[in-house]
Amino acid sequence: QVQLVESGGGLVQAGGSLTLSCAASGRTFSNYAVGWFRQAPGKEHEFVAAISRSGAGKHYADCAQGRFGISRDNAKNTVALQMNSLKPEDTAVYYCAATVAWAGGSRGAYDYWGQGTQVTVSS
C-alpha cells in the first residue's frame, strides 16, 4: 500500500504561482504512476495532470496545458505540480493519486489517494 500526503496549497492572487508536493511512503514509489486531480465546491473531481512511473510520460488536462508542470523525484518519493498563471477558477482542493498501471486521467483507475490540499486563487 502507498500513503500519499499533499502539501503546498494556500492563498494566492490571480496570476501567481504555487507548487504542490505529493509525498509518498510505503511501497516502492517508482512502481506507481501518479495523477493530480482537483475538486471545486459543488463540482466533480477533475483531472489535472499525470506522470508515468519513470517520469518520461506526462499528460495534461486542457485546463492545465501550458500553465502547469508535473514532475517527480523517485529518489525522494515525491511528485510536484508547478502551477503558474493561476486563475480564480483554479480554486479547488487538489489531490494526488497513485496507480500501478498508467491511467492518465481515468479517476477510477487510481488506487491510492491523499487527503488533499486547498488552493485558493483570489481575483
Side-chain angles (χ1 to χ4, degrees):
Q1 193 165 357
V2 175
Q3 292 80 41
L4 303 172
V5 178
E6 304 93 339
S7 62
L11 174 64
V12 64
Q13 288 189 331
S17 299
L18 277 176
T19 299
L20 305 183
S21 181
C22 175
S25 61
R27 296 190 175 180
T28 304
F29 185 54
S30 58
N31 289 341
Y32 294 86
V34 174
W36 282 96
F37 293 79
R38 67 187 185 184
Q39 187 173 28
K43 295 188 176 181
E44 297 288 325
H45 275 86
E46 177 184 29
F47 169 70
V48 177
I51 190 165
S52 65
R53 291 176 289 183
S54 69
K58 300 177 184 181
H59 178 54
Y60 296 94
D62 289 345
C63 64
Q65 191 73 41
R67 297 189 300 129
F68 295 2
I70 189 170
S71 61
R72 69 187 296 161
D73 185 338
N74 284 338
K76 297 182 178 179
N77 290 351
T78 59
V79 170
L81 183 69
Q82 172 70 42
M83 305 188 295
N84 301 316
S85 302
L86 284 162
K87 306 173 182 179
E89 51 263 45
D90 293 318
T91 295
V93 177
Y94 283 71
Y95 300 87
C96 66
T99 180
V100 172
W102 173 253
S106 300
R107 175 175 175 261
Y110 286 84
D111 301 304
Y112 306 103
W113 291 78
Q115 293 300 306
T117 185
Q118 175 71 47
V119 171
T120 303
V121 184
S122 63
S123 57

